[in-house]
Amino acid sequence: YSSTAEFEEYLRNKVAQENDESSVEELRDSALSAVVEVSEYKDFTKKMEKVSYEEVKKSYEEYAAMFGMELSDLVSEDDLKSYAVLNIQEKLAVQALVKAENIVKDEENYQEFLNRYMEYAEVTTEDELYEYYTKQELEDDYYKEKALDKVIEKAKVTEKEAEAEEE
């Protein structure tokens, strides 16, 4: 940067972009929670529950290890089981949305999606990205994003004024 003003402008733009991205992710999370809440689920197979439990457990083990913690310091066994069920519900809801909305993978959009992930992971090639995520995980996230964007697009989103706290 040739001046302090240019650097400050860069920082303002970067912070604004990160805030926008954060807002979109929060909106997608809210949309997914709403869809899961109103959806009905048939009984899960024991195999589905076991696979989901192992996925969730592995994820929490990796997270705990990053901070030098034990899994039990981070999450209880009951919580792991609850998260595993929620994981199944979310996947089934997204699959139903993808099917209902006829969402297909568009190569140009998928490449943009991968580019965002590479930027987030601070890598420059797809091969490096695959060191962090499997192709299936990335495709699942792509479809999840597209499905939730359809929900948001069709939803009537309103913002509530924050209420002042009483002292």
Side-chain angles (χ1 to χ4, degrees):
Y1 303 97
S2 59
S3 70
T4 304
E6 280 184 19
F7 181 66
E8 288 173 349
E9 179 67 20
Y10 162 78
L11 286 178
R12 272 192 294 278
N13 290 335
K14 181 133 179 90
V15 168
Q17 178 186 0
E18 288 173 0
N19 284 339
D20 288 347
E21 290 170 3
S22 177
S23 295
V24 169
E25 286 305 314
E26 288 175 14
L27 195 53
R28 285 183 184 133
D29 287 345
S30 294
L32 181 57
S33 293
V35 169
V36 166
E37 187 177 311
V38 299
S39 297
E40 292 183 25
Y41 303 92
K42 297 180 181 174
D43 292 332
F44 309 131
T45 65
K46 290 292 181 193
K47 181 178 180 182
M48 286 174 72
E49 286 185 47
K50 183 177 180 180
V51 168
S52 181
Y53 175 84
E54 291 302 322
E55 287 176 359
V56 169
K57 182 178 177 186
K58 180 182 178 212
S59 176
Y60 275 95
E61 285 171 339
E62 290 171 356
Y63 190 72
M66 286 180 3
F67 296 100
M69 301 169 66
E70 295 294 321
L71 178 63
S72 60
D73 296 331
L74 191 60
V75 63
S76 71
E77 184 68 22
D78 286 342
D79 285 342
L80 281 175
K81 290 176 183 175
S82 294
Y83 298 152
V85 169
L86 179 60
N87 185 40
I88 294 169
Q89 291 172 330
E90 288 177 350
K91 286 181 178 183
L92 291 173
V94 168
Q95 287 172 359
L97 288 168
V98 167
K99 184 176 180 181
E101 294 294 331
N102 273 338
I103 297 172
V104 294
K105 185 167 76 170
D106 172 276
E107 286 306 319
E108 184 177 328
N109 285 335
Y110 187 66
Q111 191 58 53
E112 290 172 12
F113 171 84
L114 290 177
N115 291 342
R116 278 198 329 262
Y117 259 73
M118 288 189 301
E119 184 178 332
Y120 173 76
E122 298 179 349
V123 298
T124 56
T125 67
E126 287 181 31
D127 287 339
E128 289 175 301
L129 186 63
Y130 297 137
E131 292 175 18
Y132 296 98
Y133 304 98
T134 66
K135 287 183 180 185
Q136 187 63 55
E137 287 171 327
L138 290 166
E139 283 192 7
D140 289 349
D141 282 354
Y142 171 81
Y143 284 111
K144 179 179 175 181
E145 185 177 290
K146 293 297 176 193
L148 294 175
D149 286 350
K150 287 280 189 184
V151 170
I152 293 165
E153 178 183 305
K154 292 180 179 188
K156 180 180 177 189
V157 179
T158 58
E159 291 188 29
K160 284 179 134 180
E161 288 285 326
E163 294 181 21
E165 290 184 25
E166 293 182 26
E167 293 183 28

